[in-house]
Amino acid sequence: MNEIAPLRRVTIIDIAKAAGVSPSTVSLVLQKNERISAETRNRVEEAIRKLGYKYNRSAANLRRQTSQAIGLIINDICNPFFAEMTAGVQKGLEGTEFLVFLVETGDEIERQSRVYQSLEEHGIGGLIIFPASQTKPEFLERIAAGGTPICVAIRRPPDADVDYVGPDNRLAGRIATRHLIELGHRRIAFLGGEAKSPSRIDRVAGYQEALQRAGNAFDPALCVESRPTRANAISDLNKVLDLPEPPTAAIGYNDNVAIALMHGLRRRGLEPGRQFAIVGIDGTSEAELAYPALTTVALHAHETGRRAAELVLERIKAPGKTHENVILRPNLIVRASCGTR
Amino acid sequence: MNEIAPLRRVTIIDIAKAAGVSPSTVSLVLQKNERISAETRNRVEEAIRKLGYKYNRSAANLRRQTSQAIGLIINDICNPFFAEMTAGVQKGLEGTEFLVFLVETGDEIERQSRVYQSLEEHGIGGLIIFPASQTKPEFLERIAAGGTPICVAIRRPPDADVDYVGPDNRLAGRIATRHLIELGHRRIAFLGGEAKSPSRIDRVAGYQEALQRAGNAFDPALCVESRPTRANAISDLNKVLDLPEPPTAAIGYNDNVAIALMHGLRRRGLEPGRQFAIVGIDGTSEAELAYPALTTVALHAHETGRRAAELVLERIKAPGKTHENVILRPNLIVRASCGTR
DNA sequence: CTGAAAGCGCTTACAG
DNA sequence: CTGAAAGCGCTTACAG
């Protein structure tokens, strides 16, 4: 091994000299081009090893007018759902030369445009984005029109014509509700989530649908909206518990809300899973660690990330292809928070 | 707004022409150089706006022989500790033009060298790394010697002379143990973590130290090692519970283990927080959602990431400065898993 | 205060 | 099968 720290970076020109060929030939070898004879290739590879050559992908990208970085814009990496989605993106990129630039928006639209701007300056070959809640469809369409392969995840842009992958929120609401109905519950609350949030709108629609199919009346008093924080979840729960005819079960807008609901129940002397049933929506691993282990509707965060990565990769290869809409089918994970039969 | 999608990318040459100046002048304006007169600057900025110019940072980086990307190598983004650390890194980079390339190793050393290689090819201005468990100090030192500003996080490299930021594991073990002793416990178990893991070695050392200071004998039977999975935690717990003289409290190697221990207790008919005390080590937000809410020793994941980012930034500015060693002081967060007084 | 020119490390038609 | 030359979009001494 050559242990001398190189003063100047080793380039393909150095390799060319050492191997007695031209830089073009070295470049061709690097690209595993078939035209190069085995003998020449060996000489070049030998020189690469001897000089400790390191490929400069960003120089190549500049020349080629591409980038092998994928921008990933999410709300908050500490949210287990996005952490899993991020892991899925990495998985989907495995085996390629792409690397991900991770940025967070904190669900702030100004910050979102700042980080997007920064991604563009650094150069990205594609973008996967969970749009901040106030995002206008034009923002996304302008990105696509600018030539950046883009895939939107989870949060459906009102009308934007772009690749998309996300869950069937309505079905998720229906599945959660149906499960509780089958368990014999008649008064079922839907707690948390902001009224204007499209995913909540869909989940609630599914909830109402399942109620209706079971011949169960929808009671608006049982459906309370709030920013999905722990504290809000607990106060939402107290509201419905104080009703003249309180519910016997509740669906949390997401797993986090559902877990908070279980804490809230105990403060009221109610044992979750025994005296009151709870189901969440998300299916992240934190649901499994809760006590009692949370019954939840899995939205497949990891799979979402993986598919999103595949979609951008495809669009990078074929920029003109028609837009795809991947809707992932949620499924129920029965654990202990609705009681054990 | 100019809505025509540019066929060719707008460059500083286009701006120069439009503003009637030279490319050098445009570059100087972009860099907010003082030498440029206000009038010229205005003309250039006007042209930038009109033509929709987008700065190509990677071309600039090529010319300058730098990169404004920071590589972040962690084990697993789904582990809340690393998610928080990642958020901390982003925080520490805020206000700079740096972006992070996130990669995971899955704690596999071969994968670690592959992703490192890929980071180098893409070009990084600095590296923050949580080294995979089998990492040799030479690996880290070679990176530093190669000129890449590096900061190691959390897992202390045996002897490597590099910047480092991580927790005081020994103190964390002492704090957890002392808390239980003060609560009146005499038989305290330390459960989970692999025997060869340096952080476990330190935490156990702190545990023994606190025991000794309290005049409490260390019983090896109460200290069981295992890979920190939920299943192992539960079987470790059963082992100590089956002892002739079982413990009345346990420290989990980390929060995840501690939460699993609470599940294990209930399977044995023991109510955590009432009949048995549990304390964790980590202090991630999942500890708060557990039931009962987990008493834990906070290791400051977010702060770790933030400081690591600052250290690389400093080293990028001053490559020759002496190495820093930042040891974060853990602190106890009392919640409900050891009972309420 | 501003411009001409070289160069960062690659790739890629185009010749031969 | 291999090489000479131009160029990707910037920056930076060096002149003036």
Side-chain angles (χ1 to χ4, degrees), chain B residues 268-320:
Chain B
R268 302 270 302 215
L270 255 28
E271 191 52 32
R274 301 189 63 81
Q275 287 140 299
F276 198 100
I278 295 284
V279 10
I281 298 180
D282 260 3
T284 56
S285 58
E286 59 172 350
E288 201 179 335
L289 282 172
Y291 180 77
L294 185 68
T295 288
T296 183
V297 182
L299 261 26
H300 313 301
H302 189 277
E303 175 74 3
T304 301
R306 203 178 57 72
R307 293 290 285 127
E310 287 173 1
L311 287 183
V312 266
L313 253 24
E314 285 167 25
R315 181 154 304 280
I316 288 169
K317 277 193 212 118

Side-chain angles (χ1 to χ4, degrees), chain A residues 12 27 53 55-56 59 63-64:
Chain A
I12 58 169
S27 178
Y53 170 72
Y55 183 61
N56 185 330
R63 177 54 230 258
R64 277 203 181 120

Side-chain angles (χ1 to χ4, degrees), chain A residues 23-41:
Chain A
S24 332
T25 304
V26 177
S27 178
L28 261 8
V29 170
L30 254 18
Q31 295 172 67
K32 313 218 178 302
N33 191 304
E34 296 287 314
R35 301 209 310 257
I36 306 297
S37 70
E39 195 235 350
T40 306
R41 186 176 356 102

Side-chain angles (χ1 to χ4, degrees), chain A residues 79-305:
Chain A
N79 179 326
F81 190 88
F82 294 116
E84 285 181 23
M85 184 177 122
T86 299
V89 169
Q90 303 273 20
K91 183 75 183 176
L93 260 24
E94 218 171 76
T96 73
E97 298 296 353
F98 285 89
L99 238 37
V100 359
F101 271 133
L102 175 76
V103 293
E104 298 171 281
T105 65
D107 213 27
E108 288 168 36
I109 197 169
E110 312 78 18
R111 189 147 169 231
Q112 175 170 270
S113 30
R114 277 206 311 277
V115 297
Y116 170 67
Q117 175 79 6
S118 178
L119 284 171
E120 281 293 359
E121 286 189 6
H122 275 82
I124 50 174
L127 177 69
I128 296 171
I129 179 173
F130 169 80
S133 53
Q134 302 300 315
T135 305
K136 293 181 191 60
E138 303 89 64
F139 175 77
L140 303 171
E141 275 171 338
R142 220 175 314 139
I143 293 173
T148 300
I150 180 177
C151 178
V152 174
I154 308 293
R155 205 170 249 168
R156 172 177 267 345
D159 298 289
D161 192 22
V162 290
D163 285 319
Y164 172 79
V165 37
D168 186 336
N169 280 307
R170 173 185 283 252
L171 182 53
R174 223 159 67 203
I175 290 172
T177 312
R178 194 172 52 203
H179 179 61
L180 291 168
I181 290 174
E182 284 170 0
L183 254 25
H185 295 279
R186 311 297 298 167
R187 299 275 295 162
I188 300 167
F190 188 104
L191 270 21
E194 291 182 283
K196 54 180 188 271
S197 145
S199 63
R200 180 178 187 273
I201 291 171
D202 290 346
R203 291 174 198 184
V204 167
Y207 156 74
Q208 294 180 309
E209 222 168 278
L211 247 28
Q212 194 186 329
R213 287 191 193 182
N216 221 325
F218 165 69
D219 179 353
L222 291 182
C223 188
V224 5
E225 69 100 21
S226 63
R227 259 192 46 240
T229 67
R230 299 187 58 202
N232 286 342
I234 292 178
S235 87
D236 293 352
L237 174 74
N238 286 331
K239 256 178 233 159
V240 297
L241 251 23
D242 289 335
L243 252 26
E245 207 182 336
T248 59
I251 296 161
Y253 165 68
N254 61 24
D255 282 355
N256 206 31
V257 165
I259 293 170
L261 292 176
M262 300 205 290
H263 281 87
L265 284 171
R266 278 182 287 241
R267 290 205 200 157
R268 302 270 303 214
L270 256 28
E271 191 54 31
R274 302 189 62 82
Q275 288 141 299
F276 198 99
I278 295 284
V279 11
I281 298 180
D282 261 3
T284 55
S285 59
E286 58 172 351
E288 201 179 335
L289 282 172
Y291 180 77
L294 186 68
T295 288
T296 184
V297 182
L299 261 27
H300 313 300
H302 190 276
E303 175 74 3
T304 302

Side-chain angles (χ1 to χ4, degrees), chain B residues 171-222:
Chain B
L171 181 53
R174 225 159 64 201
I175 289 173
T177 312
R178 195 173 50 203
H179 180 61
L180 291 168
I181 291 174
E182 283 169 359
L183 254 26
H185 296 278
R186 310 298 297 166
R187 299 276 294 163
I188 300 167
F190 188 104
L191 270 21
E194 291 182 282
K196 55 179 185 269
S197 145
S199 63
R200 179 178 188 273
I201 290 171
D202 290 346
R203 291 173 198 185
V204 167
Y207 156 74
Q208 294 178 310
E209 222 168 279
L211 247 27
Q212 194 185 331
R213 287 190 193 184
N216 222 325
F218 164 69
D219 180 353
L222 290 182

